[in-house]
Amino acid sequence: MTDAERREISRRIALLERTTALFGRFGGLIPTAIAFLNKWPTEVELYPHWQVGESWKLFLSLYLYWFAWLALGRAISFAKRSIEP
């Protein structure tokens, strides 16, 4: 791998890292906005009502976005280590 290729890959990884930071900061707003648009319940329900109601979808989607953010962070760290000489 030449130095020019390594710099290009490093530049792309840095861009992905900045995007991941923004996703981590604002990613939780995406499922919340989808919940409001789909008219899911906006109030937090207690356990007996949680299984019957629709609020579990909001919590599940928030956790899925959080896990996606963690996976992106791990992928970036692996990519950074793989291009080091």
Side-chain angles (χ1 to χ4, degrees):
M1 179 181 298
T2 64
D3 286 336
E5 290 172 339
R6 186 171 282 126
R7 278 192 303 258
E8 179 65 24
I9 292 171
S10 295
R11 189 183 62 80
R12 289 181 183 185
I13 289 174
L15 179 63
L16 183 61
E17 190 172 16
R18 287 191 297 268
T19 306
T20 302
L22 288 173
F23 181 74
R25 185 178 296 164
F26 300 113
L29 295 176
I30 297 169
T32 307
I34 292 171
F36 286 134
L37 292 174
N38 287 335
K39 297 183 174 97
W40 291 349
T42 56
E43 58 192 34
V44 176
E45 299 172 0
L46 297 175
Y47 180 72
H49 301 288
W50 190 37
Q51 292 177 336
V52 179
E54 298 286 321
S55 64
W56 63 271
K57 291 179 183 178
L58 177 65
F59 292 110
L60 178 65
S61 59
L62 286 171
Y63 278 116
L64 288 175
Y65 273 75
W66 182 67
F67 284 131
W69 173 66
L70 287 176
L72 279 170
R74 294 290 295 175
I76 289 170
S77 68
F78 287 134
K80 279 183 175 179
R81 278 188 259 146
S82 69
I83 63 165
E84 291 177 354

Coordinates of all heavy atoms in Angstrom, one line a residue:
M1 N 0.8 -1.2 0.0 CA 0.0 0.0 0.0 C 0.9 1.2 0.0 O 1.8 1.4 0.8 CB -0.9 0.0 1.2 CG -1.8 1.1 1.4 SD -2.8 1.2 2.8 CE -3.8 -0.3 2.6
T2 N 0.6 2.1 -0.9 CA 1.4 3.3 -1.0 C 1.0 4.4 0.0 O -0.1 4.2 0.6 CB 1.3 3.9 -2.4 OG1 -0.1 4.4 -2.6 CG2 1.7 3.0 -3.5
D3 N 1.8 5.4 0.2 CA 1.4 6.4 1.2 C 0.2 7.2 0.7 O -0.6 7.6 1.6 CB 2.6 7.4 1.3 CG 3.7 6.8 2.2 OD1 3.4 5.9 3.0 OD2 4.8 7.2 2.0
A4 N 0.0 7.4 -0.6 CA -1.2 8.1 -1.1 C -2.4 7.3 -0.8 O -3.5 7.9 -0.4 CB -1.0 8.4 -2.6
E5 N -2.4 6.0 -1.0 CA -3.6 5.2 -0.7 C -3.9 5.2 0.8 O -5.0 5.3 1.3 CB -3.3 3.7 -1.1 CG -3.3 3.6 -2.6 CD -2.9 2.2 -3.0 OE1 -2.3 1.4 -2.2 OE2 -3.2 1.8 -4.1
R6 N -2.8 5.1 1.6 CA -3.0 5.1 3.1 C -3.6 6.5 3.6 O -4.5 6.5 4.4 CB -1.6 4.9 3.8 CG -1.8 4.8 5.3 CD -0.5 4.3 5.9 NE -0.3 2.9 5.7 CZ 0.7 2.3 5.1 NH1 1.7 3.0 4.8 NH2 0.8 1.0 4.9
R7 N -3.2 7.6 3.0 CA -3.7 8.9 3.3 C -5.2 9.0 2.9 O -6.0 9.5 3.7 CB -2.9 10.0 2.7 CG -1.7 10.4 3.4 CD -1.1 11.7 2.9 NE -0.8 11.6 1.4 CZ 0.4 11.4 0.9 NH1 1.4 11.4 1.7 NH2 0.5 11.3 -0.4
E8 N -5.5 8.5 1.7 CA -6.9 8.5 1.3 C -7.8 7.6 2.2 O -8.9 8.1 2.6 CB -7.0 8.0 -0.2 CG -8.4 8.0 -0.7 CD -9.0 9.3 -0.9 OE1 -8.3 10.3 -1.0 OE2 -10.3 9.4 -0.9
I9 N -7.3 6.5 2.6 CA -8.1 5.6 3.5 C -8.2 6.3 4.9 O -9.3 6.3 5.5 CB -7.4 4.2 3.6 CG1 -7.6 3.5 2.3 CG2 -8.1 3.4 4.7 CD1 -6.8 2.2 2.2
S10 N -7.2 6.9 5.3 CA -7.2 7.7 6.6 C -8.2 8.8 6.6 O -8.9 9.1 7.5 CB -5.8 8.2 7.0 OG -5.0 7.1 7.2
R11 N -8.2 9.5 5.4 CA -9.2 10.6 5.3 C -10.6 10.1 5.3 O -11.5 10.7 6.0 CB -8.9 11.3 4.0 CG -9.7 12.6 3.8 CD -9.5 13.3 2.4 NE -9.9 12.4 1.3 CZ -11.2 12.3 0.9 NH1 -12.1 13.0 1.6 NH2 -11.5 11.6 -0.1
R12 N -10.9 9.0 4.7 CA -12.2 8.4 4.7 C -12.6 7.9 6.0 O -13.8 8.0 6.5 CB -12.3 7.3 3.6 CG -12.3 7.8 2.2 CD -12.4 6.7 1.2 NE -12.3 7.3 -0.1 CZ -12.5 6.5 -1.2 NH1 -12.7 5.2 -1.1 NH2 -12.4 7.1 -2.4
I13 N -11.7 7.3 6.7 CA -12.0 6.8 8.1 C -12.3 8.0 9.0 O -13.2 8.0 9.9 CB -10.8 6.0 8.6 CG1 -10.8 4.7 7.9 CG2 -10.9 5.8 10.1 CD1 -9.6 3.8 8.2
A14 N -11.5 9.1 8.9 CA -11.8 10.3 9.7 C -13.2 10.9 9.4 O -13.9 11.3 10.3 CB -10.7 11.4 9.4
L15 N -13.6 10.9 8.1 CA -14.9 11.3 7.8 C -16.0 10.4 8.4 O -17.0 10.9 9.0 CB -15.1 11.3 6.3 CG -16.4 11.8 5.7 CD1 -16.7 13.2 6.1 CD2 -16.5 11.6 4.2
L16 N -15.8 9.1 8.3 CA -16.7 8.2 9.0 C -16.7 8.3 10.5 O -17.8 8.2 11.1 CB -16.3 6.7 8.6 CG -17.2 5.6 9.1 CD1 -18.6 5.8 8.6 CD2 -16.7 4.3 8.8
E17 N -15.6 8.7 11.1 CA -15.5 8.9 12.5 C -16.3 10.1 12.9 O -17.1 10.1 13.9 CB -14.1 9.1 12.9 CG -13.9 9.0 14.4 CD -12.4 9.0 14.8 OE1 -11.5 9.3 13.9 OE2 -12.1 8.7 15.9
R18 N -16.2 11.2 12.1 CA -17.0 12.4 12.4 C -18.5 12.1 12.2 O -19.4 12.6 13.0 CB -16.6 13.6 11.5 CG -15.3 14.1 11.9 CD -15.0 15.4 11.1 NE -14.9 15.3 9.7 CZ -13.8 15.1 9.1 NH1 -12.6 15.0 9.7 NH2 -13.8 14.9 7.8
T19 N -18.9 11.3 11.2 CA -20.3 11.0 11.0 C -20.8 10.1 12.1 O -21.9 10.3 12.6 CB -20.4 10.2 9.7 OG1 -19.8 11.0 8.6 CG2 -21.8 9.9 9.3
T20 N -20.0 9.2 12.6 CA -20.4 8.4 13.7 C -20.6 9.2 15.0 O -21.5 8.9 15.8 CB -19.3 7.3 14.0 OG1 -19.2 6.5 12.8 CG2 -19.7 6.3 15.1
A21 N -19.7 10.2 15.2 CA -19.9 11.1 16.4 C -21.2 11.8 16.3 O -22.0 11.9 17.3 CB -18.8 12.0 16.5
L22 N -21.6 12.3 15.1 CA -22.9 13.0 15.0 C -24.0 12.0 15.1 O -25.1 12.3 15.7 CB -23.0 13.7 13.6 CG -22.1 14.9 13.4 CD1 -22.1 15.4 12.0 CD2 -22.6 16.0 14.4
F23 N -23.9 10.8 14.6 CA -24.9 9.8 14.8 C -25.1 9.4 16.3 O -26.2 9.2 16.7 CB -24.5 8.5 14.0 CG -25.5 7.4 14.0 CD1 -26.7 7.5 13.4 CD2 -25.3 6.3 14.8 CE1 -27.6 6.5 13.4 CE2 -26.2 5.3 14.9 CZ -27.4 5.4 14.2
G24 N -24.0 9.3 17.0 CA -24.1 9.1 18.4 C -24.8 10.2 19.2 O -25.5 9.9 20.1
R25 N -24.6 11.4 18.7 CA -25.2 12.5 19.4 C -26.6 12.7 19.1 O -27.5 13.0 19.9 CB -24.4 13.8 19.1 CG -24.9 15.0 19.8 CD -24.1 16.3 19.5 NE -22.7 16.1 19.9 CZ -21.7 16.8 19.5 NH1 -21.9 17.8 18.7 NH2 -20.5 16.6 20.0
F26 N -27.0 12.6 17.8 CA -28.3 12.9 17.3 C -29.1 11.6 16.9 O -30.2 11.7 16.4 CB -28.3 13.9 16.2 CG -27.7 15.2 16.6 CD1 -26.5 15.6 16.0 CD2 -28.3 16.0 17.5 CE1 -25.9 16.8 16.4 CE2 -27.7 17.2 17.9 CZ -26.5 17.6 17.3
G27 N -28.5 10.4 16.9 CA -29.1 9.2 16.4 C -30.4 8.9 17.2 O -31.3 8.3 16.6
G28 N -30.5 9.2 18.5 CA -31.7 8.9 19.3 C -32.9 9.7 18.8 O -34.0 9.4 19.2
L29 N -32.6 10.8 18.1 CA -33.8 11.6 17.7 C -34.5 11.0 16.5 O -35.7 11.2 16.3 CB -33.3 13.0 17.3 CG -32.7 13.9 18.4 CD1 -32.2 15.2 17.8 CD2 -33.7 14.1 19.5
I30 N -33.8 10.1 15.8 CA -34.4 9.5 14.6 C -35.6 8.6 15.0 O -36.7 8.8 14.5 CB -33.4 8.8 13.7 CG1 -32.4 9.8 13.2 CG2 -34.0 8.0 12.6 CD1 -31.2 9.1 12.6
P31 N -35.4 7.6 15.9 CA -36.6 6.8 16.3 C -37.6 7.6 17.0 O -38.8 7.2 16.9 CB -36.0 5.7 17.2 CG -34.6 6.1 17.5 CD -34.2 7.1 16.5
T32 N -37.2 8.6 17.7 CA -38.3 9.4 18.4 C -39.1 10.2 17.4 O -40.3 10.2 17.6 CB -37.6 10.4 19.4 OG1 -36.7 9.7 20.2 CG2 -38.6 11.1 20.2
A33 N -38.5 10.7 16.4 CA -39.3 11.4 15.3 C -40.2 10.4 14.6 O -41.3 10.7 14.3 CB -38.3 12.1 14.4
I34 N -39.7 9.2 14.3 CA -40.5 8.2 13.7 C -41.7 7.8 14.5 O -42.8 7.7 14.1 CB -39.6 7.0 13.3 CG1 -38.6 7.3 12.2 CG2 -40.5 5.8 12.9 CD1 -37.6 6.3 11.9
A35 N -41.4 7.7 15.8 CA -42.5 7.4 16.8 C -43.6 8.5 16.8 O -44.8 8.2 16.8 CB -42.0 7.2 18.2
F36 N -43.2 9.8 16.7 CA -44.2 10.8 16.7 C -44.9 10.8 15.4 O -46.1 11.1 15.3 CB -43.5 12.2 16.9 CG -43.1 12.4 18.3 CD1 -41.9 12.9 18.6 CD2 -43.9 12.2 19.4 CE1 -41.5 13.2 19.9 CE2 -43.6 12.4 20.7 CZ -42.3 12.9 21.0
L37 N -44.2 10.6 14.3 CA -44.9 10.6 13.0 C -45.9 9.4 12.8 O -46.9 9.5 12.2 CB -43.9 10.5 11.9 CG -43.0 11.8 11.7 CD1 -42.0 11.6 10.7 CD2 -43.9 13.0 11.4
N38 N -45.6 8.3 13.4 CA -46.4 7.1 13.4 C -47.5 7.1 14.5 O -48.2 6.1 14.6 CB -45.6 5.8 13.5 CG -44.8 5.5 12.2 OD1 -45.2 6.0 11.1 ND2 -43.7 4.8 12.3
K39 N -47.5 8.1 15.3 CA -48.5 8.3 16.4 C -48.4 7.2 17.4 O -49.4 6.7 17.9 CB -49.9 8.4 15.8 CG -50.1 9.6 14.9 CD -51.5 9.7 14.4 CE -51.7 11.0 13.7 NZ -51.6 10.9 12.3
W40 N -47.2 6.7 17.7 CA -47.0 5.8 18.8 C -47.2 6.6 20.1 O -47.1 7.8 20.1 CB -45.6 5.2 18.8 CG -45.3 4.3 17.6 CD1 -46.2 3.8 16.8 CD2 -44.0 3.8 17.2 NE1 -45.5 3.0 15.8 CE2 -44.2 3.0 16.1 CE3 -42.7 4.0 17.7 CZ2 -43.2 2.4 15.5 CZ3 -41.7 3.4 17.1 CH2 -41.9 2.5 16.0
P41 N -47.4 5.9 21.2 CA -47.6 6.6 22.4 C -46.3 7.4 22.8 O -45.2 6.9 22.7 CB -47.8 5.5 23.5 CG -48.1 4.3 22.7 CD -47.6 4.4 21.3
T42 N -46.6 8.6 23.2 CA -45.4 9.4 23.6 C -45.2 9.5 25.1 O -44.2 10.1 25.6 CB -45.7 10.9 23.1 OG1 -46.9 11.3 23.7 CG2 -45.7 10.9 21.6
E43 N -46.0 8.8 25.8 CA -45.8 8.8 27.3 C -45.3 7.4 27.7 O -45.6 6.4 27.0 CB -47.1 9.0 28.0 CG -48.2 8.0 27.7 CD -49.6 8.4 28.2 OE1 -49.9 9.6 28.2 OE2 -50.4 7.6 28.5
V44 N -44.5 7.4 28.7 CA -43.8 6.2 29.1 C -44.9 5.4 30.0 O -45.4 6.0 30.9 CB -42.6 6.4 29.9 CG1 -42.0 5.2 30.5 CG2 -41.6 7.2 29.1
E45 N -45.1 4.2 29.6 CA -46.1 3.4 30.4 C -45.3 2.4 31.3 O -44.2 2.0 31.1 CB -46.9 2.6 29.4 CG -47.7 3.5 28.4 CD -48.3 2.7 27.3 OE1 -48.2 1.4 27.3 OE2 -49.0 3.3 26.5
L46 N -46.0 2.0 32.4 CA -45.4 1.1 33.3 C -45.5 -0.3 32.8 O -46.1 -0.6 31.8 CB -46.1 1.2 34.7 CG -46.0 2.6 35.3 CD1 -46.8 2.7 36.6 CD2 -44.5 2.9 35.6
Y47 N -44.8 -1.2 33.5 CA -44.6 -2.6 33.0 C -45.9 -3.3 32.6 O -45.9 -3.8 31.5 CB -43.9 -3.4 34.0 CG -43.7 -4.8 33.6 CD1 -42.7 -5.1 32.6 CD2 -44.4 -5.8 34.1 CE1 -42.5 -6.4 32.2 CE2 -44.2 -7.1 33.7 CZ -43.2 -7.4 32.7 OH -43.0 -8.7 32.3
P48 N -47.0 -3.3 33.3 CA -48.2 -4.1 32.9 C -48.8 -3.5 31.6 O -49.2 -4.3 30.7 CB -49.2 -3.9 34.0 CG -48.4 -3.6 35.2 CD -47.2 -2.8 34.7
H49 N -48.7 -2.2 31.4 CA -49.3 -1.6 30.2 C -48.2 -1.6 29.1 O -48.6 -1.4 27.9 CB -49.7 -0.2 30.5 CG -50.7 -0.1 31.5 ND1 -52.0 -0.5 31.3 CD2 -50.7 0.3 32.8 CE1 -52.7 -0.3 32.4 NE2 -51.9 0.2 33.4
W50 N -47.0 -1.8 29.4 CA -45.9 -1.7 28.4 C -46.0 -2.9 27.4 O -45.8 -2.7 26.2 CB -44.6 -1.7 29.1 CG -43.4 -1.4 28.2 CD1 -43.4 -0.5 27.2 CD2 -42.1 -2.0 28.3 NE1 -42.1 -0.5 26.7 CE2 -41.3 -1.4 27.3 CE3 -41.6 -3.0 29.1 CZ2 -40.0 -1.8 27.1 CZ3 -40.3 -3.3 28.9 CH2 -39.5 -2.7 27.9
Q51 N -46.4 -4.0 27.9 CA -46.5 -5.2 27.0 C -47.7 -5.1 26.1 O -47.7 -5.5 25.0 CB -46.6 -6.5 27.9 CG -45.3 -6.8 28.6 CD -45.5 -8.0 29.5 OE1 -46.6 -8.4 29.8 NE2 -44.4 -8.7 29.7
V52 N -48.8 -4.5 26.6 CA -50.0 -4.4 25.8 C -49.9 -3.2 24.8 O -50.4 -3.3 23.7 CB -51.2 -4.3 26.7 CG1 -52.5 -4.1 25.9 CG2 -51.3 -5.4 27.7
G53 N -49.3 -2.1 25.3 CA -49.2 -0.9 24.5 C -48.2 -1.0 23.4 O -47.6 -2.0 23.1
E54 N -47.9 0.2 22.8 CA -47.0 0.3 21.7 C -45.7 1.0 22.1 O -44.8 1.1 21.2 CB -47.6 1.1 20.6 CG -48.9 0.4 20.0 CD -48.5 -0.8 19.1 OE1 -47.5 -0.7 18.4 OE2 -49.3 -1.8 19.2
S55 N -45.5 1.3 23.4 CA -44.3 2.1 23.7 C -43.0 1.2 23.7 O -41.9 1.8 23.6 CB -44.4 2.7 25.1 OG -44.5 1.7 26.1
W56 N -43.1 -0.1 23.7 CA -42.0 -0.9 23.6 C -41.2 -0.7 22.3 O -40.0 -0.9 22.2 CB -42.3 -2.4 23.8 CG -43.2 -2.9 22.7 CD1 -44.6 -2.9 22.7 CD2 -42.8 -3.6 21.5 NE1 -45.1 -3.5 21.5 CE2 -44.0 -3.9 20.8 CE3 -41.6 -3.9 20.9 CZ2 -44.0 -4.5 19.5 CZ3 -41.6 -4.5 19.7 CH2 -42.8 -4.8 19.0
K57 N -41.9 -0.3 21.2 CA -41.3 -0.1 19.9 C -40.3 1.1 20.0 O -39.2 1.0 19.4 CB -42.3 0.2 18.9 CG -43.2 -1.0 18.5 CD -44.2 -0.6 17.5 CE -45.1 -1.7 17.1 NZ -46.1 -1.2 16.1
L58 N -40.7 2.1 20.8 CA -39.8 3.2 20.9 C -38.5 2.8 21.6 O -37.4 3.2 21.2 CB -40.5 4.4 21.6 CG -39.7 5.6 21.9 CD1 -39.3 6.3 20.6 CD2 -40.4 6.6 22.8
F59 N -38.6 2.1 22.7 CA -37.5 1.7 23.5 C -36.6 0.7 22.7 O -35.4 0.8 22.7 CB -37.9 1.1 24.8 CG -38.4 2.1 25.7 CD1 -39.8 2.0 26.1 CD2 -37.7 3.0 26.3 CE1 -40.3 2.9 26.9 CE2 -38.2 4.0 27.2 CZ -39.5 3.9 27.5
L60 N -37.2 -0.2 21.9 CA -36.4 -1.1 21.1 C -35.7 -0.4 20.0 O -34.5 -0.7 19.8 CB -37.4 -2.2 20.5 CG -36.7 -3.2 19.6 CD1 -35.8 -4.1 20.4 CD2 -37.8 -4.0 18.9
S61 N -36.3 0.6 19.4 CA -35.6 1.3 18.3 C -34.5 2.2 18.9 O -33.4 2.3 18.3 CB -36.6 2.1 17.5 OG -37.3 3.1 18.3
L62 N -34.7 2.7 20.1 CA -33.6 3.5 20.7 C -32.4 2.6 21.0 O -31.3 3.0 20.7 CB -34.1 4.2 22.0 CG -35.0 5.4 21.8 CD1 -35.6 5.9 23.1 CD2 -34.3 6.5 21.1
Y63 N -32.7 1.4 21.5 CA -31.6 0.5 21.8 C -30.9 0.0 20.5 O -29.7 -0.1 20.5 CB -32.0 -0.7 22.6 CG -32.1 -0.4 24.1 CD1 -33.3 -0.4 24.8 CD2 -31.0 0.0 24.8 CE1 -33.4 -0.1 26.1 CE2 -31.1 0.2 26.2 CZ -32.3 0.2 26.8 OH -32.3 0.5 28.1
L64 N -31.6 -0.2 19.5 CA -31.0 -0.6 18.2 C -30.1 0.4 17.6 O -29.0 0.1 17.1 CB -32.1 -1.0 17.2 CG -32.8 -2.3 17.5 CD1 -34.0 -2.5 16.5 CD2 -31.9 -3.5 17.5
Y65 N -30.5 1.7 17.7 CA -29.7 2.8 17.2 C -28.5 2.9 18.1 O -27.4 3.2 17.6 CB -30.5 4.1 17.2 CG -31.2 4.3 15.9 CD1 -32.4 3.6 15.6 CD2 -30.7 5.2 14.9 CE1 -33.0 3.8 14.4 CE2 -31.4 5.3 13.7 CZ -32.5 4.6 13.5 OH -33.2 4.8 12.3
W66 N -28.6 2.7 19.4 CA -27.5 2.8 20.3 C -26.5 1.7 20.0 O -25.2 1.9 19.9 CB -27.9 2.7 21.8 CG -26.9 2.8 22.8 CD1 -26.1 3.9 23.0 CD2 -26.4 1.8 23.6 NE1 -25.2 3.6 24.0 CE2 -25.3 2.3 24.4 CE3 -26.7 0.4 23.8 CZ2 -24.7 1.5 25.4 CZ3 -26.1 -0.3 24.8 CH2 -25.1 0.3 25.5
F67 N -27.0 0.4 19.7 CA -26.1 -0.7 19.4 C -25.4 -0.4 18.0 O -24.2 -0.8 17.8 CB -26.8 -2.0 19.4 CG -27.1 -2.5 20.7 CD1 -28.3 -3.0 21.1 CD2 -26.1 -2.6 21.7 CE1 -28.6 -3.5 22.3 CE2 -26.3 -3.1 22.9 CZ -27.6 -3.6 23.3
A68 N -26.1 0.2 17.1 CA -25.5 0.6 15.8 C -24.4 1.6 16.0 O -23.3 1.5 15.3 CB -26.6 1.1 14.9
W69 N -24.6 2.5 16.9 CA -23.5 3.5 17.1 C -22.3 2.8 17.7 O -21.2 3.1 17.4 CB -24.1 4.6 18.1 CG -23.0 5.5 18.6 CD1 -22.3 6.4 17.8 CD2 -22.6 5.7 19.9 NE1 -21.5 7.1 18.6 CE2 -21.6 6.7 19.9 CE3 -22.9 5.1 21.1 CZ2 -21.0 7.1 21.1 CZ3 -22.3 5.5 22.2 CH2 -21.3 6.5 22.2
L70 N -22.5 1.9 18.7 CA -21.4 1.1 19.2 C -20.7 0.3 18.2 O -19.4 0.3 18.2 CB -21.9 0.2 20.4 CG -22.3 0.9 21.7 CD1 -22.9 -0.1 22.6 CD2 -21.1 1.6 22.3
A71 N -21.4 -0.3 17.3 CA -20.8 -1.1 16.3 C -20.0 -0.3 15.3 O -18.9 -0.7 14.9 CB -21.9 -1.9 15.5
L72 N -20.5 0.9 15.0 CA -19.7 1.8 14.1 C -18.4 2.2 14.8 O -17.4 2.3 14.1 CB -20.6 3.0 13.7 CG -21.6 2.9 12.6 CD1 -22.5 4.1 12.5 CD2 -20.9 2.6 11.3
G73 N -18.5 2.5 16.0 CA -17.3 2.9 16.8 C -16.3 1.8 16.8 O -15.1 2.0 16.6
R74 N -16.7 0.6 17.0 CA -15.8 -0.6 17.0 C -15.2 -0.8 15.6 O -14.0 -1.1 15.4 CB -16.5 -1.8 17.4 CG -16.9 -1.8 18.8 CD -15.8 -1.9 19.8 NE -15.1 -3.2 19.6 CZ -14.0 -3.5 20.2 NH1 -13.4 -2.7 21.0 NH2 -13.4 -4.7 20.0
A75 N -16.0 -0.6 14.5 CA -15.5 -0.8 13.2 C -14.5 0.3 12.8 O -13.5 -0.1 12.2 CB -16.7 -0.7 12.2
I76 N -14.7 1.5 13.3 CA -13.7 2.5 13.1 C -12.4 2.2 13.8 O -11.3 2.4 13.2 CB -14.2 3.9 13.5 CG1 -15.3 4.3 12.5 CG2 -13.2 4.9 13.5 CD1 -16.1 5.5 13.0
S77 N -12.5 1.7 15.0 CA -11.2 1.4 15.7 C -10.5 0.3 15.1 O -9.2 0.3 15.0 CB -11.5 1.1 17.2 OG -12.2 -0.1 17.3
F78 N -11.2 -0.7 14.6 CA -10.5 -1.8 13.8 C -9.9 -1.3 12.5 O -8.8 -1.7 12.1 CB -11.5 -3.0 13.6 CG -11.8 -3.8 14.8 CD1 -13.1 -4.1 15.0 CD2 -10.9 -4.2 15.7 CE1 -13.5 -4.8 16.1 CE2 -11.2 -4.9 16.8 CZ -12.5 -5.3 17.0
A79 N -10.6 -0.4 11.8 CA -10.1 0.1 10.6 C -8.8 0.9 10.8 O -7.9 0.8 10.0 CB -11.2 0.9 9.9
K80 N -8.8 1.7 11.9 CA -7.7 2.5 12.1 C -6.4 1.6 12.4 O -5.3 1.9 12.0 CB -7.9 3.4 13.4 CG -8.7 4.7 13.0 CD -8.8 5.5 14.3 CE -9.4 6.8 14.0 NZ -9.5 7.6 15.3
R81 N -6.7 0.6 13.2 CA -5.6 -0.3 13.5 C -5.1 -1.1 12.3 O -3.9 -1.5 12.2 CB -5.9 -1.3 14.6 CG -5.8 -0.6 16.0 CD -6.0 -1.6 17.1 NE -7.4 -1.4 17.6 CZ -8.2 -2.3 18.0 NH1 -7.8 -3.6 18.0 NH2 -9.4 -2.1 18.4
S82 N -5.9 -1.4 11.4 CA -5.6 -2.2 10.2 C -4.7 -1.4 9.2 O -4.0 -2.0 8.4 CB -6.8 -2.7 9.5 OG -7.5 -1.7 8.9
I83 N -4.8 -0.1 9.2 CA -4.0 0.7 8.2 C -2.7 1.2 8.8 O -1.9 1.7 8.1 CB -4.7 1.8 7.6 CG1 -5.1 2.9 8.7 CG2 -6.0 1.4 6.9 CD1 -5.5 4.2 8.1
E84 N -2.4 1.0 10.1 CA -1.2 1.4 10.7 C 0.0 0.5 10.1 O -0.2 -0.7 9.9 CB -1.2 1.3 12.2 CG -2.1 2.2 12.8 CD -2.2 2.0 14.3 OE1 -1.6 1.1 14.8 OE2 -2.9 2.9 15.0
P85 N 1.1 1.2 9.8 CA 2.2 0.4 9.2 C 2.8 -0.6 10.1 O 2.8 -0.5 11.3 CB 3.2 1.4 8.7 CG 2.8 2.7 9.4 CD 1.4 2.6 9.9

